[in-house]
Amino acid sequence: MNKSETIKALSERLELTQTRTEELYNSLVSTFTEHLSENNGFSIPDFGSFSSEIREEYKSYNPHYKQMMLLPKKKVVRFSQSSALKDEFNEVEL
Amino acid sequence: MSKKVTFSELVKAFAESHDLTQQKAEDMIRGVFDLVIDDLEENGKASITSFGSFELKDVAERTGINPQTKEEIVIPAHKKVSFKPFKALEESVNAPFAGLEPTLLGESSVTETEETTAKEEKEQEPEVFEDPFAEVIKPAEEQDDEAETPDAVEEGSVEEQEESEVEAPPVFVAPEKEKGNEVSWIFIVLVLLIAGTGIWFFFLRDSDPGNIDNVVAGNQAPAQQQAEQVEKVPPAETAAKEEKAPETSAASSEKKNNVKAEPEAKNEMPVPKKLTAYIIEKDEWMWDISREVYGVPYLWPLIFEANKTVNDDPNLVEPANTLMIPSLEGSSSNLTKADYAKLAKATKLVSEAYAKSGNSERAKEYSRFAAKYERNSKN
């Protein structure tokens, strides 16, 4: 599903025009991005949570240079699925 | 340190900023992720434009231990939703550290403790270097340069460096007042000192174990000075730099003259400018020779191509032979397109030779390398 299909499906669901939906969609994504850039994690019910964290620098072997390299620290986005989402794709055993 | 935004806060803020009812805003956000779930169910893949992509992944069965009962349990194979941020998101999140680049670590010129101190410093100053000088004295290159100079020069230079730091301060009233600049100066000087003393320490320990006490004392001296340096940094750095420049150029010109240098310098050998002869010492394989003459082992196919034919076994190198060493256009760490093209051709030959000598695995491996080099030669 690409963006325009997503927007179309959403606009039908929300009973809004496609232009308006696209506007909302874009601003929603940038809200998410802003939150993550500012170190704010957020969670979506029944889906999962997003958070950003600092990955410390570490040493790793670079096969091209055949040498160890020091990879600098980096801020990365983490996603953790909620248990509801997990159950959705796995048969629940009882 | 990371805060959490609750879903209701998210919905409220979104509703207010877009003139929506909270119900609509919640529907909107949930709708986006419902669509993702639908998509995942259908295709096992989904994405949110300019945010990231989700993928359904299989997790294999494994055994785990129940942390409460210490019982071993089998975690059955299951599916998991993984998330991969898109570049736009990645970059905007990583903005504070965007200027950091991976660095090559030399083979063992820095001892464990010094690496950790270097690490601590790095954590304190994640700022991006803005000076033109930062380029010139990146830690890795800098270590390499120093590693090549003979012990005597090394010791001398460290001492001189320390002296100049002590003398300099009254002359200078810090020309750069900006904080960012000062911080990077401090960082550069610290790295210089640490690398210098590290190598000094390394050499001395090798040559004479009795000297260690001395060396440790020498090692602490710069550490104390680091504290004093905070205000004196710019002059010290300039002095150190001026000294550095001639030293480096002298070292490199010296190296150009002799292709086979002492064992310590192996890794930093310059690229031979012309076709050079190389006499094999006993039991050296081309891999080792390449490391000695080019500084990196993986260029050995070039040597093979220049000396052998398809019918030779690449794994054999008879001792007491003279090999021709082809030249490179660029340097071994920065190959040009032509070099890559040559390397690709040579690697292909190696692959064929391996195939002929019955080593099909190696042959495959090297034909893959050849393909990679060929791609590199084109872009």
Side-chain angles (χ1 to χ4, degrees), chain B residues 144-194:
Chain B
D144 288 352
D145 289 343
E146 291 197 32
E148 286 148 15
T149 53
D151 317 12
V153 178
E154 190 52 49
E155 278 182 48
S157 74
V158 173
E159 275 154 20
E160 277 168 41
Q161 208 170 302
E162 285 162 12
E163 276 169 27
S164 62
E165 278 151 20
V166 182
E167 287 164 12
V171 190
F172 250 85
V173 189
E176 284 106 347
K177 284 273 173 185
E178 286 164 64
K179 214 176 184 180
N181 250 345
E182 248 176 44
V183 165
S184 42
W185 278 121
I186 293 170
F187 181 58
I188 291 164
V189 170
L190 291 187
V191 170
L192 261 175
L193 277 174
I194 286 164

Side-chain angles (χ1 to χ4, degrees), chain A residues 14 16 24 28, chain B residues 7 10-16 18-32:
Chain A
L14 298 169
L16 290 169
L24 289 176
L28 184 64
Chain B
F7 187 62
L10 201 67
V11 168
K12 211 171 161 197
F14 191 65
E16 274 167 19
H18 290 92
D19 237 352
L20 291 167
T21 61
Q22 290 207 15
Q23 186 57 48
K24 262 262 149 72
E26 188 176 333
D27 283 351
M28 167 80 196
I29 301 177
R30 278 180 187 267
V32 170

